[in-house]
Amino acid sequence: MRIAVFDVGGTFIKYSLMVDDVMTLQDKVKTPYENQETFLKTIETVLETLKPVEGIAFSLPGVIDVDRKYIFAGGSLAYNNHTDVRAWEERFHLPIEIENDARCAAIAELEAGNMQGIKQGLVLTFGTGVGGGIIIDGDIYKGSHLIAGEVSVIFSKSPKVYHSKGLFGAIGSVYNLVEKIAKAKNSETRDGKEVFEWIHQGDEVSQKIFDEYCYEVICELHNIQCLLDPQRICIGGGASENPLFIEGLQKASDAFYNDFPIKFPHAQIVKCQYCNDANMLGAYYHYKKYNDER
């Protein structure tokens, strides 16, 4: 079986060819923001490099009905709002399965990663925004309106403006963190690896902003803890590949709960086993499951 897998993010579209459960030909292209036609042409160009292909698996931002193959809301890619993906199948002449990106990460970790055996858990992916995949009773929980886990639109402050900086998606955004540190350092860089190297080297300005970021994230995770009471929280996204990111969140969690007025139970924070590949792997597992059932 040769399945093209796409993890569509706010900055890049990562892709690979899964050949009999083995991930090959991994690469990425910039995510187009012009319109859906430009997006689909980008996918077509990539497919040409992966041929022959028997099907396509998409990990996508937004509110998605996997049974109807319908994208209600495209998240950061608004041009995908109200899209019937069966039209894409006709265009590409291939079967397609779609799933929300953070749920794909949760599927990967539940099936073959650090959520195996966990009954109540949460997978969070940190990147341009923050995605969430909820696990209840050992299965993916989607909610009544398919929005369970949409943590990016949790308000931390008064929602005077919808796209305010008070959204958890903005507070937890690694892109925003990198930009904030770079500005404080009077640097033009937006390279996350370079910024985390400053933290690693003990730069005081970078460390202070990073520590504040981690503490704010943990405050939000505490609110989620009060609602879902997960056993474990797996952290994914590109930043999770850097040990400093996970260590920063773990340290902030210890500080938060050590200062708490009572002993409060809370989840173990670990990194996703598959880090930046979790979305692609989960999309592939989802494809296999739904093609077996259809």
Side-chain angles (χ1 to χ4, degrees), residues 142-168:
K142 299 185 179 183
S144 302
H145 305 93
L146 303 175
I147 62 169
E150 289 291 333
V151 297
S152 260
V153 290
I154 291 176
F155 282 103
S156 302
K157 299 175 184 177
S158 177
K160 293 179 181 178
V161 181
Y162 180 73
H163 293 291
S164 73
K165 293 182 179 179
L167 290 172
F168 183 32

Side-chain angles (χ1 to χ4, degrees), residues 13 33 97 102 104 126 142-143 154 168 177 186 199 223 234 243 283:
I13 299 174
Y33 270 87
E97 299 297 342
C104 283
F126 288 81
K142 299 185 179 183
I154 291 176
F168 183 32
L177 168 66
N186 294 315
I199 298 170
N223 293 337
C234 277

Side-chain angles (χ1 to χ4, degrees), residues 71-285:
I71 305 171
F72 285 100
S76 58
L77 302 180
Y79 53 65
N80 281 338
N81 290 352
H82 308 296
T83 293
D84 187 338
V85 174
R86 288 173 295 185
W88 296 2
E89 290 183 312
E90 293 177 7
R91 176 171 180 152
F92 298 134
H93 304 293
L94 289 167
I96 296 175
E97 299 297 342
I98 59 172
E99 180 56 289
N100 169 271
D101 47 9
R103 288 190 189 128
C104 283
I107 290 168
E109 294 301 319
L110 191 59
E111 289 288 328
N114 289 336
M115 279 296 185
Q116 292 180 93
I118 296 295
K119 290 294 184 180
Q120 325 297 339
L122 177 66
V123 175
L124 293 177
T125 56
F126 288 81
T128 307
V130 184
I134 299 171
I135 297 166
I136 294 181
D137 292 333
D139 201 1
I140 304 297
Y141 178 71
K142 299 185 179 183
S144 302
H145 305 93
L146 303 175
I147 62 169
E150 289 291 333
V151 297
S152 260
V153 290
I154 291 176
F155 282 103
S156 302
K157 299 175 184 177
S158 177
K160 293 179 181 178
V161 181
Y162 180 73
H163 293 291
S164 73
K165 293 182 179 179
L167 290 172
F168 183 32
I171 290 171
S173 168
V174 176
Y175 178 87
N176 288 350
L177 168 66
V178 168
E179 185 175 51
K180 189 174 182 179
I181 292 175
K183 284 183 177 179
K185 295 280 291 177
N186 294 315
S187 171
E188 295 295 324
T189 187
R190 293 299 181 268
D191 185 341
K193 290 183 179 180
E194 182 177 355
V195 169
F196 273 95
E197 184 59 30
W198 295 341
I199 298 170
H200 178 71
Q201 292 172 356
D203 177 73
E204 291 185 8
V205 172
S206 305
Q207 186 69 58
K208 182 176 184 297
I209 293 172
F210 178 59
D211 288 346
E212 290 170 351
Y213 164 88
C214 289
Y215 196 83
E216 283 191 283
V217 168
I218 293 302
C219 287
E220 295 306 323
L221 297 194
H222 170 72
N223 293 337
I224 295 172
Q225 184 77 40
C226 293
L227 291 173
L228 297 178
D229 194 18
Q231 298 164 256
R232 179 176 293 171
I233 298 175
C234 277
I235 306 297
S240 68
E241 295 183 346
N242 191 319
L244 278 175
F245 190 74
I246 305 298
E247 291 167 8
L249 292 177
Q250 291 170 335
K251 181 180 176 182
S253 179
D254 290 342
F256 180 90
Y257 286 105
N258 285 341
D259 291 341
F260 214 70
I262 60 171
K263 187 174 181 180
F264 199 91
H266 54 280
Q268 175 191 28
I269 295 176
V270 302
K271 80 175 185 69
C272 286
Q273 180 171 328
Y274 296 103
C275 299
N276 221 15
D277 292 337
N279 292 9
M280 283 195 289
L281 190 59
Y284 173 69
Y285 286 143

